[in-house]
């Protein structure tokens, strides 16, 4: 007590010292970043974090924090630490493999052709439905752990490979269970509107009604999801159907997200912005006319360059243009069995630099602070500031700007969740 009064030394659980700390936050009021702010990761040389009860209590220069805080010192002098990644769009719960389709696509078949012939999402729905609860749980657990090993400490996870009430609820229950068990913040999304099941092909509106009148009430009654999402696309759900589904979910208390303009422009992102959705994702075919509406609404556009890469379409979202316009873009893997079988956020960051023309700084901020805001978690995760969770990644280099350059390689030395080492 005396010591605290006279020398102003406070007790922390740990002081993490690093050659470089990227705070990804320039002030204490959490907000999504846009414009030039995207290009500033808040680098502190010879920096440190003081941690207590799983939270950051102070971020600053190591020499200052070591004077002000007492506690175990973790020494990462040769490393860079940055916020744990927030993967804001994933489909991790499924069984079966679509490796055959990936080979077909490499030889020229398109994703939409495969989908129209009953492959694609429908084939994963069949395999998933056949899996037992424990098989599905184990497959999903392994994937989430692998995401964590690649630095993702907060993950948005969608259902969507059930397409009937019983199966969709099963997937959501498993996701909730894994969210409770694993050292990951799991934000769960109900994506019953991921495809029109084969048995509804001739009367798709009946499936829309099933989602609205049967699935949503049960999902919300059991608190199985935080979000509702819809695949708004040519041959799947049109804008009017998507709007009805999202508005019904919102009326039941879910936040809204949308898959929009992935294969063609329909206007789904604009609609989502107008009804107050939190994010619009993919956007490979978004038109610049929609930027002002997106900007005004505060919706977060989520880039998924891994999907463009894996599908081999050569068609990337105009992320550079969106940043230059002032949109608070975020980044996600879109990990799924069909259109991107890659769960690595470092790879998404490399692709953002290479294919979306982001600077490394912009890619890192899109993958952390802005992704966190897209999940309405920006006050808890996505940046290293006092009051946030001590979720961080230790990179095995000081030259963090060159880190996206060594693409496809995992240079992560350790991952911490709420102040505890969970990887490394
Ligand atoms: O985000 N677009 C819809 N969902 C996934 C693809 C899912 C699948 O092919 O299984 C996506 O690209
Ligand atoms: Fe998706």
């Amino acid at each position: 007590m005396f010591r605290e009064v006279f020398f102003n030394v406070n007790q922390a659980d740990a002081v993490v010292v690093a050659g470089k700390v990227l705070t990804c936050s320039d002030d204490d009021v959490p907000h999504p970043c846009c414009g030039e702010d995207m290009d500033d990761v808040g680098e502190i040389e010879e920096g440190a974090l003081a941690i207590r009860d799983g939270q950051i209590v102070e971020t600053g220069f190591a020499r200052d924090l070591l004077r002000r805080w007492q506690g175990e010192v973790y020494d990462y002098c040769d490393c860079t630490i940055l916020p744990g990644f927030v993967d804001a769009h994933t489909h991790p719960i499924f069984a079966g493999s679509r490796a055959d389709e990936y080979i077909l696509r490499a030889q020229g078949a398109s994703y939409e052709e495969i989908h129209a012939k009953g492959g694609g999402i429908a084939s994963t729905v069949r395999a998933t439905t056949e899996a037992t609860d424990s098989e599905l749980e184990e497959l999903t657990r392994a994937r989430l752990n692998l995401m964590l090993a690649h630095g993702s400490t907060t993950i948005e996870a969608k259902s969507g490979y059930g397409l009937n009430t019983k199966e969709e609820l099963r997937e959501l229950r498993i996701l909730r269970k894994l969210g409770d068990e694993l050292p990951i913040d799991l934000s769960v999304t109900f994506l019953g509107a991921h495809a029109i099941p084969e048995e509804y092909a001739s009367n798709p509106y009946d499936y829309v009604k099933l989602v609205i009148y049967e699935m949503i009430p049960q999902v919300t009654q059991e608190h199985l999801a935080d979000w509702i999402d819809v695949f708004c696309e040519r041959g799947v759900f049109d804008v009017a159907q998507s709007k009805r589904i999202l508005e019904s979910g919102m009326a039941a208390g879910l936040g809204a997200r949308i898959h929009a303009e992935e294969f063609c422009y329909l206007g789904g992102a604009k609609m989502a912005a107008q009804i107050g959705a939190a994010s619009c994702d993919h956007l490979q075919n978004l038109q610049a006319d929609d930027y002002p509406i997106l900007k005004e609404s505060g919706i977060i556009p989520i880039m998924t360059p891994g999907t463009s890469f894996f599908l081999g379409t050569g068609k990337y979202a105009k992320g550079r243009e969106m940043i230059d316009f002032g949109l608070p873009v975020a980044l996600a893997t879109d990990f799924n069995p069909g259109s991107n079988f890659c769960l690595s956020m470092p790879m998404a960051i490399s692709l953002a630099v290479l294919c979306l023309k982001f600077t490394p700084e912009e890619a890192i901020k899109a993958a952390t602070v802005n992704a966190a805001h897209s999940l309405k978690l920006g006050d808890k995760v996505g940046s290293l500031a006092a009051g946030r969770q001590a979720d961080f990644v230790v990179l095995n280099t000081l030259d963090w700007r060159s880190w996206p350059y060594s693409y496809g390689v995992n240079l992560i030395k350790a991952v911490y969740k709420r102040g505890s080492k969970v990887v490394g």
Side-chain angles (χ1 to χ4, degrees), residues 236-295:
V236 198
F237 297 93
D238 65 23
V239 176
Q241 292 167 338
S242 301
K243 182 166 186 270
R244 276 201 66 190
I245 291 167
L246 293 184
E247 284 182 331
S248 303
M250 291 169 89
L254 302 171
R257 325 180 73 74
I258 190 169
H259 286 66
E261 342 295 4
E262 182 178 358
F263 295 100
C264 69
Y265 177 82
L266 289 184
K270 181 165 120 182
M271 175 277 288
Q274 283 164 337
I275 65 169
S279 79
C280 48
D281 307 17
H282 288 309
L283 311 181
Q284 281 84 344
N285 295 280
L286 182 67
Q287 294 176 1
D289 290 352
D290 290 348
Y291 296 170
I293 293 167
L294 266 51
K295 173 86 184 150

Side-chain angles (χ1 to χ4, degrees), residues 135-155:
E135 282 165 352
L136 202 48
E137 184 180 313
E138 192 39 53
L139 285 165
T140 311
R141 180 185 289 108
R143 294 177 188 129
L144 292 171
N145 276 322
L146 208 47
M147 291 178 180
L148 188 62
H150 286 78
S152 298
T153 47
T154 299
I155 298 170

Side-chain angles (χ1 to χ4, degrees), residues 3 98 122 124 168-169 176 187 231 323 343:
R3 199 170 168 230
R98 307 243 295 276
T124 300
E168 286 294 319
L169 293 179
R176 278 287 195 232
S187 201
F231 189 10
I323 292 181
L343 46 67

Side-chain angles (χ1 to χ4, degrees), residues 143-212:
R143 294 177 188 129
L144 292 171
N145 276 322
L146 208 47
M147 291 178 180
L148 188 62
H150 286 78
S152 298
T153 47
T154 299
I155 298 170
E156 184 267 9
K158 304 175 197 292
S159 69
Y161 293 111
L163 307 186
N164 65 53
T165 307
K166 179 170 156 273
E167 284 296 311
E168 286 294 319
L169 293 179
R170 178 167 85 119
E171 291 174 17
L172 294 171
R173 286 189 196 110
I174 293 173
L175 289 172
R176 278 287 195 232
K177 179 172 181 221
L178 292 170
D180 289 342
E181 173 199 314
L182 298 171
I184 295 172
D185 280 299
L186 211 62
S187 201
V188 177
T189 298
F190 166 56
L191 180 57
H194 194 194
I196 313 236
E198 284 151 343
E199 58 278 24
Y200 287 88
S202 54
N203 49 348
Y205 223 89
D206 285 350
Y207 186 66
V208 173
K209 284 194 242 163
L210 186 78
V211 170
I212 293 176

